[in-house]
Amino acid sequence: MARILLNNVTKRYGKFKELAVDNFNMDIKDQEFLVFLGPSGCGKSTTLRMVAGLEDISEGEIYIGDTLVNDYPPKDRDISMVFQNYALYPNLTVYENIAFGLRIRKMPKHEIEAAVKRAADVLEIGNFLNRKPRELSGGQRQRVALGRAIVRSPQAFLMDEPLSNLDAKLRVQMRAEIIRLHRTIGVTTIYVTHDQIEAMTMGDRIVVMNKGVIQQVDTPEQIYHKPQNLFVAKFIGNQPMNFFEGTIEEINGYLTFSTQTFSIRLTDKQTKMFNQLRGVSYNIIMGIRPEYMSFEKEMFDVYPNAVLKGVLQFNEFIGSDHYYHLDSQGRESFTVRAHPRFSYREGEEVRVAIDMEKVLFFDSKTEKLLTI
Amino acid sequence: MKMIEVLRNFAQESKWKWSNFLLEIKRLDRTQYIILFFLTIASIFMLLPIVYIFNHAFKPLHELFLFPPTFIVQDPTFQNFIELLTLTSNTFVPVSRFIFNSVIVTVLATIAMVVTSALCAYALSKHPFPGSKLVFSLIMISLLFVPQVLQIPRYVVVESLGIMNTYWGHVLPLIAMPVGVFLMKQFIDQVPNEVLEAAKIDGASEFGMFFRIVMPIVTPAIATIAIISFQSAWGNTETSQLFMQDESMKTLPYYMMSLTANLANSVARQGAAAAGALIMFLPQFIMFLFFQRKVIATMAHSGIK
Ligand SMILES: Nc1ncnc2c1ncn2[C@@H]1O[C@H](COP(=O)(O)OP(=O)(O)OP(=O)(O)O)[C@@H](O)[C@H]1O
Ligand SMILES: [Mg+2]
């Protein structure tokens, strides 16, 4: 068990020295479950593979525990890795798959047997130790892969999208199982995924990446509620956040956010923030999640000056909720999450209140979250 | 596609069972019955020479010259084999020496060819280096050369290596085997890189990965290459002809060739030739029976995943 430290780690590929990972700095705490999240091709796997030693580091330093491992081969880094496609040895039985690393390390036979048995018990794969990988289901295979990872009691687990080959139901189940595993053995884990639900439910902290650059490192709550820039705001959230382009203006002595179709009054706190930021008439992008826009009467009472009108375009019903897609004067469109008891028809004009406490403002030039 | 599936099921069945075979047959539809019918006819036709070789070797002299020739031997005898042995017992080199040479050369060459092809393909497939694509293309291009074109350069090489009249002279010229490299590379390409990376993280050395992971996965390819290289080594006369002046270093196929060279119109030695043909044929036949399941698996590509 150990902390993992990445200092200015950079990776360039190929003849043209294309940047795959750009100046990556990260301090992963002992026993932490850290998730790399980002769109395809953003450099998650590359970073993970550099930690594993499967990929050379172009610049920077990687420490595992207190050891600088830049020049260590994978086997000497005391890590284990789980791959998306399981990567089991197809010619060996489940037992031999798990025992492989131990045999190479010349562990005495009875100790191997005990270790494999322990791992098999934890993962409940004791019943098919004598089978070949091809005789197992996807979920069972991934369990064997996990068994192979834990049996060596390494300092860290590296997992590269271990669940993305499984079907939805199994994924949920395995997700819980990996979390349980992490709780019981408490090994530092780096987990790569492009599935934000996985990231949110599993990570102690999430690293959101884009184009090889870290966008934000934070707890799931912070990532969701306080995305530090537009990219994170857009990337996180099953139903995308609503964005409105506009400016901050002073109207009747109050600071307001105005778009082409509506104006809403800022709260005192937000007014204070913009005053400190020296400014009115910024070009601003306002972000608000669908669940913080509402048809509820109480909301209109609390924020009477943060109301806009929209025409219902279509309605997504997902069981527990409705997602109403609205359109304001054909210029701005947005989505509102509502309780199923609200039922509007397409083409109807409705009023929506905004929960001003949850509104986020981004500078439209730097795309950064505005805060004080 | 269903045909392939049927074939594959045969290949994977550990024991041949007629009941299973009949079950599989029942699953076919009409066009497949027709195909099966013609394939059966064709395979019987292909089988005839084999039957003929077996019978011919046991025919007594008078049956050998029957006209029209008979397929099935009526009065089987070992006379021909005895003739083959006695024919040479009073010459300079006995036939047993040729057989001995052939066995040694074939075993050595087969092993060397399989190992070399596998190592070469592994490097080309899993450790690409600058220019490795070019190397692979060159290997493929070398398939196009007719062996005769290479005889003289080969002679020069063997001569200057000083391995004339040694077993090396038989084995070395055969080792480079483009077909083997090609086949092997196709198979190794299919081994996911992640499997090797997992092994690397588990602590396996390069040779550990090669022998404990890659080789067991590609056994069908090994079997196929083993058969092909066995055949080419066992039937090879070229090295005896070119590099072995010493009669005692020549191999059985060369001897067979000289035995039958001017046989067309003669009566003598017909029996010995028939027996020799069987001796030449038998190892290949056994070899094929031994590996055929694996080979069918290669063809039906039951493969790796
Ligand atoms: N071996 C390689 N040679 C050249 N470029 C590479 C190589 N491997 C990755 N890249 C590039 O590096 C970038 C990051 O790739 P990486 O595999 O780390 O992405 P990822 O975040 O894991 O994506 P995914 O979610 O699709 O797995 C990509 O632009 C990719 O094209
Ligand atoms: Mg990846």
Side-chain angles (χ1 to χ4, degrees), chain A residues 49 54 74-75 79 81 83 85 87-91 100-101 104-105 148 152, chain B residues 192 194-195 197-205 208 212-213 216-217 304-305:
Chain A
R49 291 165 57 81
L54 296 172
K75 69 182 163 71
I79 44 105
M81 188 151 168
F83 297 85
N85 59 4
L88 298 175
Y89 312 125
N91 54 313
F100 190 80
I104 287 177
R105 277 150 223 264
R148 189 173 65 182
R152 280 195 282 116
Chain B
E194 284 86 351
V195 172
E197 287 171 351
K200 215 185 265 176
I201 290 174
D202 264 345
S205 63
R212 298 169 72 160
I213 308 292
I217 295 177
I304 286 168
K305 281 187 184 161

Side-chain angles (χ1 to χ4, degrees), chain A residues 44-45 160-161 192:
Chain A
K44 309 177 295 281
S45 300
D160 194 352
E161 310 203 16
V192 167

